[in-house]
């Protein structure tokens, strides 16, 4: 969990590699669906571009389908889900049916000033989705992706106006669920400022200590 642009995707990718488990980002799944123009993508496109949340019903169906696949058996990291009180209930139900529990919920934090700086400088590969930053993580190939030579573009929801709306939606709908997980004794709070390597070291130390 954490504000838009706090580094959830950056850290979840690293942690999933380190633990050899699957990284499931609801944002990435939705962006793939938008690109492929599936029913889900067509329904989600305008909502995402405006910085609002896609309906709990669509997300619930999507996550239930994804968690029914065998590759989650060694474990998984959820990134960007759950994000509303209703989605917490949906996740509880899916996990109960699967007979598994959550180990930890990580809340990454950073200042809003840092968030705006990170999001306005973010560039993503339109082919493979790799994430860069114009200052902090530039591509060695300039405007092209280091992995696949795809073009680097700005996400449609990374404009200043939409970033402000995403932050508002986060404070209103997502932040309150941190308390629910705190009360369950699952919440691990990690400071997300500093370089990605530094944050990753901190994250691993906090997870070991928790
Ligand atoms: P989603 O894709 O989940 O977006 P988000 O929560 O706004 O988060 P971001 O992907 O923008 O940021 P991040 O925290 O992953 O940061 P990143 O690592 O990229 O969701 C998008 C939309 O989909 C939502 O608005 C909604 O419409 C819909 N959606 C998704 N899930 C949903 C759900 N469950 N329910 C309903 N709707 C849903 O880093 C950001 C930038 O900073 C990068 O450029 C990176 O290189 C850089 N950076 C990262 N870490 C550091 C660091 N330590 N120092 C400097 N730079 C850094």
């Amino acid at each position: 969990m954490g504000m838009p642009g706090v580094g959830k995707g950056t850290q979840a990718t690293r942690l999933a590699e380190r633990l050899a488990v699957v990284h499931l980002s609801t944002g990435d799944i939705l962006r793939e669906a938008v690109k492929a123009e599936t029913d889900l993508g067509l329904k989600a496109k305008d909502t995402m571009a405006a910085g609002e949340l896609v309906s709990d019903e669509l997300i619930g169906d999507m996550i239930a389908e994804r968690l029914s696949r065998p590759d989650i058996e060694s474990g998984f990291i959820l990134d960007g889900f759950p994000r509303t009180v209703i989605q917490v209930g949906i996740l509880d139900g899916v996990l109960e049916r699967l007979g598994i529990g959550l180990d930890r919920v990580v809340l990454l934090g950073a200042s809003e000033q840092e968030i705006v700086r990170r999001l306005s400088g973010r560039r993503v590969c339109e082919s493979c989705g790799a994430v860069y930053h114009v200052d902090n993580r530039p591509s060695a190939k300039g405007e092209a992706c280091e992995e696949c030579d795809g073009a680097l573009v700005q996400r449609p929801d990374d404009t200043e106006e939409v970033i402000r709306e995403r932050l508002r939606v986060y404070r209103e709908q997502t932040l309150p669920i941190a308390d629910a997980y705190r009360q369950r004794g699952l919440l691990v709070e990690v400071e997300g400022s500093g370089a990605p390597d530094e944050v990753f070291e901190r994250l691993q130390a906090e997870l070991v200590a928790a």
Side-chain angles (χ1 to χ4, degrees), residues 2-11 25-28 30-31 47-48 51-56 59 79-83 87 114 117-119 121-123 131-133 136-137 155 157-158 166 192-196 199:
M3 280 187 279
V6 74
K8 300 182 295 295
T10 301
Q11 298 302 326
S25 155
T26 42
D28 287 349
L30 288 168
R31 277 183 289 277
T47 312
M48 293 174 74
E52 308 297 336
L53 294 182
V54 174
S55 79
D56 290 328
I59 296 289
D79 164 8
F81 173 85
R83 251 160 143 110
Q87 291 182 17
E114 175 69 6
R117 200 181 67 78
R118 286 185 189 178
L119 288 181
R122 173 165 58 187
R123 299 293 180 271
V131 179
Y132 298 88
H133 189 279
N136 308 325
R137 171 72 181 91
R155 259 171 52 175
D157 59 348
D158 277 349
R166 286 159 64 201
S193 58
V199 178

Side-chain angles (χ1 to χ4, degrees), residues 1-4 6 53 82-85 88 105-110 112 166-183 187 189:
M1 291 187 60
M3 280 187 279
V6 74
L53 294 182
R83 251 160 143 110
T84 64
V85 172
V88 171
V105 176
V106 175
L107 176 62
L108 276 177
E112 282 202 16
R166 286 159 64 201
L167 286 169
R168 188 192 67 76
V169 169
Y170 172 78
R171 277 191 293 269
E172 216 171 273
Q173 303 197 47
T174 306
L175 193 56
I177 72 175
D179 270 339
Y181 285 122
R182 189 177 285 115
Q183 277 163 22
L187 198 73
E189 296 189 55

Side-chain angles (χ1 to χ4, degrees), residues 48-52 116 119-120 154 156-169:
M48 293 174 74
E52 308 297 336
V116 174
L119 288 181
S120 48
Q154 197 164 21
D157 59 348
D158 277 349
T159 62
E160 201 183 323
E161 190 189 349
V162 181
I163 293 170
R164 264 202 301 274
E165 178 60 10
R166 286 159 64 201
L167 286 169
R168 188 192 67 76
V169 169

